[in-house]
Amino acid sequence: MQTRRLRTSAQSNQPRISLHEYQQNKRRQQPKEARFGTFRRMVPDTLVGSKPQPHEPSLESVPRGIDRPLYARSGTPPGNWGQHQIPRLTAGEISQMRIACEIARDALALGGRMVQPGATTGEIDRAVHSYIVSRSAYPSCLNYMGFPKSICTSVNNVIAHGIPDQRKLEDGDIVNLDVTVYKDGFHGDTSAMFAAGIVDKPGRDLIDTTREALELAIQACGPQVPFRMIGETIEAFVVPLGYSVSQELTGHGVGREFHQNPLIYHHYNEEPGAMAPGMAFTIEPIVSQGTSKGVLWPDGWTITTMDGGRSAQFEHTIVVTESGVEILTA
């Protein structure tokens, strides 16, 4: 799951149009041939505000004996963003965190195998949830700031934080599954794109470009490397190919907290700081066909592209080592 970007001096203004304007301007008759390819745009069912309220998971959903993060009861995560120090994990802590990351990796693969025409993201969410708790782990997204499901499922023009539902996936849909797992005091966070049926060439190209952008960014990381190199690497690769990178959502530190410092920007930036051994964080670029500026739905979570173009995202949790990085969710 991405964290909302904190405004800095390096951030340009990102104006949002109202949802009403978006609804008036969008073309609802989909799928059809357009400059972004052939696919069905996701639109909200209602303009009425409907953000879910925090709700502690029941013992039936998350059995007794499974360690829960502190926010599982209230929905309110610890406010650690004001602490500028970046945590550095010991070898023992990295070993513990590796377990959570491996469960997240396997849960993501399970969900990915279910992405096909006719399946619903709600079914995928339930299957992934069952797998995670079967490993005596907690699905980190569940009740985080009130999020009502265990994973995020973002389809076609959804940038991030899509809530699993009962809509059947259609042939040609592209789907991001975002899975985070909490186990033995540590979180592991990963996401990837999956194709339902046969996806058109613009959709396949978008997926391939986003995957390669993440790979290049990871290759750029290591001890003493400035954090800003991640964004420079990603934007220098995708923009010449005609894509844009989200400046509204970021990667983040991860470990004992779901979201912590550092913030990882996926675009050109002037943020200070350099990587050091023991630092763990996510890299999770969101790449869009047109604009990456987002429209927030009335559910308070789902964000779609302003112009209706498709969006793709890949994510890994990595830790900096003495000689480079280790991809914990690989």
Side-chain angles (χ1 to χ4, degrees):
M1 177 182 282
Q2 296 243 342
T3 183
R4 296 291 175 85
R5 183 188 179 197
L6 302 184
R7 183 169 294 276
T8 72
S9 59
Q11 179 185 13
S12 60
N13 291 328
Q14 295 288 326
R16 291 178 183 266
I17 62 172
S18 70
L19 187 60
H20 176 72
E21 291 174 302
Y22 168 67
Q23 289 281 68
Q24 292 297 315
N25 293 337
K26 67 179 174 55
R27 299 180 178 92
R28 300 200 64 168
Q29 291 75 35
Q30 296 290 337
K32 63 181 178 181
E33 197 66 34
R35 66 188 177 106
F36 298 129
T38 303
F39 62 98
R40 186 179 298 278
R41 293 181 186 174
M42 300 296 101
V43 297
D45 293 330
T46 177
L47 294 178
V48 178
S50 56
K51 185 172 183 177
Q53 295 300 307
H55 182 75
E56 182 179 8
S58 67
L59 290 176
E60 180 180 2
S61 174
V62 181
R64 193 185 308 275
I66 293 179
D67 189 24
R68 302 183 179 202
L70 293 177
Y71 59 78
R73 171 170 294 184
S74 66
T76 304
N80 292 336
W81 287 107
Q83 300 177 6
H84 297 293
Q85 185 174 1
I86 299 172
R88 296 179 64 173
L89 303 176
T90 66
E93 290 173 325
I94 292 171
S95 294
Q96 287 180 274
M97 185 170 169
R98 193 178 285 117
I99 297 171
C101 289
E102 290 173 353
I103 297 172
R105 175 201 64 198
D106 294 344
L108 177 65
L110 169 66
R113 291 192 292 270
M114 295 181 66
V115 174
Q116 57 185 322
T120 72
T121 54
E123 292 167 347
I124 296 171
D125 173 77
R126 289 190 291 275
V128 171
H129 175 97
S130 295
Y131 174 77
I132 292 172
V133 298
S134 77
R135 297 290 304 273
S136 298
Y138 182 90
S140 302
C141 291
L142 186 60
N143 205 37
Y144 182 84
M145 299 179 67
F147 192 79
K149 300 292 183 177
S150 295
I151 65 173
C152 298
T153 55
S154 301
V155 180
N156 293 340
N157 57 306
V158 177
I159 292 175
H161 302 160
I163 299 175
D165 59 23
Q166 296 312 303
R167 172 191 174 270
K168 291 184 178 181
L169 295 174
E170 300 179 10
D171 187 60
D173 283 346
I174 63 173
V175 185
N176 175 269
L177 303 181
D178 192 340
V179 179
T180 310
V181 167
Y182 181 74
K183 172 73 172 175
D184 296 334
F186 289 89
H187 297 268
D189 193 357
T190 186
S191 82
M193 298 300 299
F194 300 93
I198 300 175
V199 174
D200 63 1
K201 187 177 186 304
R204 297 195 306 271
D205 289 346
L206 172 66
I207 291 173
D208 291 343
T209 297
T210 309
R211 182 189 296 110
E212 187 169 356
L214 173 61
E215 293 170 353
L216 292 171
I218 293 173
Q219 292 171 17
C221 294
Q224 309 291 321
V225 175
F227 286 111
R228 67 175 183 272
M229 288 301 300
I230 294 173
E232 291 179 14
T233 299
I234 293 169
E235 192 157 14
F237 174 65
V238 306
V239 170
L241 298 176
Y243 300 106
S244 64
V245 183
S246 175
Q247 298 186 22
E248 298 177 331
L249 297 165
T250 74
H252 52 88
V254 62
R256 292 193 179 276
E257 304 296 343
F258 191 171
H259 297 116
Q260 60 190 33
N261 285 321
L263 289 176
I264 303 298
Y265 303 118
H266 302 115
H267 57 89
Y268 286 115
N269 64 88
E270 299 177 357
E271 294 301 311
M275 304 172 201
M279 292 182 178
F281 51 87
T282 69
I283 304 177
E284 44 186 310
I286 294 174
V287 178
S288 299
Q289 291 178 308
T291 180
S292 288
K293 294 178 180 179
V295 177
L296 181 64
W297 283 13
D299 64 20
W301 283 102
T302 307
I303 305 172
T304 50
T305 57
M306 186 181 294
D307 60 7
R310 281 174 290 188
S311 181
Q313 179 189 23
F314 285 87
E315 173 186 12
H316 273 308
T317 293
I318 70 171
V319 62
V320 181
T321 66
E322 295 290 344
S323 59
V325 297
E326 178 185 350
I327 305 174
L328 297 176
T329 47

